Amino acid sequence: MKIAILGKPFAEQQAPVLQALLDDLLRRQAEIRIEHSFYEYLSQYLTIPEGISRFGRADSLAGCRFVLSIGGDGTLLDTVTYVGALQIPILGINTGRLGFLATISPETILPAIDALYKGHFVLEERSLIRVDTDPDTFGDINFGLNEFSILKRDSSSMIVVHTYIDGEYLNSYWADGLIVATPTGSTGYSLSCGGPVMLPQTNNFVIAPVCPHNLNVRPLIVPDRSVISFEIEGRSNNFLLSLDSRSRTVEAGIQVAVRRENFNAQLVKMNQVNFLSTLRSKLNWGLDRRNPADVPV
């Protein structure tokens, strides 16, 4: 089995767990590929056997059966951009903090790898958002798993985002910015701006203003088959476009449109982990001292 590994720096005490991961994959005769910068980082803490190859962003991951994302949710968002249209299943191993998307804890890595080989897992299809701009802003990596945002720069005055759905005028948002979130992204930036939580299989986007000047403007759910376009204006001539963790400064007059990408991300979930259990464990839903001890939370 060919397995690719991407990751970010981790706490030093987690090195033995990751060494055990590499050793276990080698015992299973897996063909391992590690992203260049993460390989260099791992070599400072782990004993990396010979024969493990490296790859970069320009290299294709075609032929890989799984991709392991070692880090936090931000690492998994970045991993999606490496996989792209190949739709290789991604297993998120959480060495970060919240771990809403990367749900495998370091203590359960080896059982998770065993489950991969035995087929004891499910795949969750997660829709992606695609951004088209003129002039081009994000190049070939113009898709994201969580959200697209239009934001003011620094402490400049609020901006106005004229918004259209399938060419029909929706609203002019006077705000610090505007978010268009996928169902996956509904538990991220959009949630902190008052947006609703959506189940992963929901075929919708959330349009959520960031600190709107008009308090009666609320988040809106629209079908993800829609094309949402924008015109931006403000006192400043520069604005920020953000796609997951990637931000670009753009000038007024840029043409922007978002739609659902024509391919999905596939996230590996162990059989005992699902979106609803993640809501309860990560967002503390149902955690209330008034609940009896025998009530599941």
Side-chain angles (χ1 to χ4, degrees):
M1 184 183 294
K2 184 182 292 187
I3 295 177
I5 301 177
L6 296 95
K8 295 290 175 64
F10 47 82
E12 191 170 345
Q13 61 266 28
Q14 292 174 343
V17 177
L18 298 181
Q19 182 70 64
L21 167 64
L22 282 183
D23 294 342
D24 184 62
L25 290 175
L26 289 172
R27 280 195 298 270
R28 297 175 186 272
Q29 298 182 328
E31 182 180 341
I32 305 172
R33 303 182 66 191
I34 302 178
E35 191 271 332
H36 276 294
S37 59
F38 192 52
Y39 183 101
E40 297 298 328
Y41 179 80
L42 285 176
S43 64
Q44 303 175 50
Y45 300 97
L46 309 183
T47 301
I48 301 180
E50 296 182 0
I52 292 181
S53 61
R54 312 184 198 187
F55 68 91
R57 185 169 291 281
D59 301 321
S60 173
L61 294 179
C64 290
R65 181 65 180 86
F66 297 100
V67 178
L68 307 186
S69 173
I70 301 176
D73 289 348
T75 307
L76 194 144
L77 295 178
D78 192 37
T79 301
V80 169
T81 67
Y82 278 82
V83 173
L86 294 174
Q87 300 187 96
I88 302 169
I90 301 170
L91 177 66
I93 298 172
N94 180 32
T95 58
R97 289 172 291 184
L98 182 62
F100 204 94
L101 297 172
T103 55
I104 303 301
S105 65
E107 297 76 22
T108 60
I109 289 178
L110 296 186
I113 297 301
D114 190 58
L116 287 185
Y117 273 82
K118 292 180 178 178
H120 297 168
F121 62 89
V122 295
L123 292 179
E124 282 189 357
E125 294 273 349
R126 298 294 183 98
S127 60
L128 303 172
I129 189 168
R130 173 190 174 96
V131 181
D132 294 301
T133 62
D134 186 14
D136 181 49
T137 303
F138 293 101
D140 293 334
I141 311 175
N142 63 337
F143 57 90
L145 178 60
N146 264 6
E147 76 267 317
F148 167 72
S149 305
I150 301 170
L151 302 167
K152 70 176 187 177
R153 290 191 61 200
D154 306 322
S155 59
S156 60
S157 59
M158 72 176 66
I159 61 178
V160 184
V161 184
H162 306 292
T163 305
Y164 304 82
I165 298 178
D166 293 328
E168 183 178 348
Y169 176 67
L170 168 64
N171 186 35
S172 293
Y173 292 91
W174 295 69
D176 284 355
L178 191 69
I179 302 165
V180 182
T182 66
T184 300
S186 70
T187 56
Y189 194 6
S190 173
L191 182 63
S192 69
C193 293
V197 173
M198 294 192 294
L199 296 179
Q201 62 268 29
T202 307
N203 297 318
N204 293 307
F205 289 136
V206 177
I207 301 176
V210 180
C211 300
H213 182 64
N214 299 320
L215 298 183
N216 59 343
V217 176
R218 311 306 301 163
L220 178 69
I221 297 177
V222 300
D224 64 8
R225 63 179 179 270
S226 306
V227 177
I228 309 170
S229 54
F230 311 96
E231 297 173 355
I232 317 166
E233 63 175 287
R235 292 180 183 176
S236 172
N237 193 45
N238 294 317
F239 313 99
L240 286 178
L241 300 185
S242 179
L243 185 55
D244 285 351
S245 57
R246 308 182 300 281
S247 296
R248 305 287 187 270
T249 300
V250 299
E251 295 183 355
I254 188 172
Q255 298 182 36
V256 184
V258 301
R259 69 194 73 202
R260 179 170 176 166
E261 183 56 275
N262 57 15
F263 54 85
N264 297 323
Q266 295 199 73
L267 303 187
V268 176
K269 298 295 180 183
M270 297 297 114
N271 290 335
Q272 74 277 15
V273 177
N274 58 47
F275 181 77
L276 299 181
S277 66
T278 302
L279 281 180
R280 294 192 297 271
S281 63
K282 301 299 183 180
L283 298 184
N284 294 328
W285 280 20
L287 186 62
D288 192 318
R289 63 186 300 175
R290 296 169 296 181
N291 285 336
D294 58 346
V295 175
V297 294

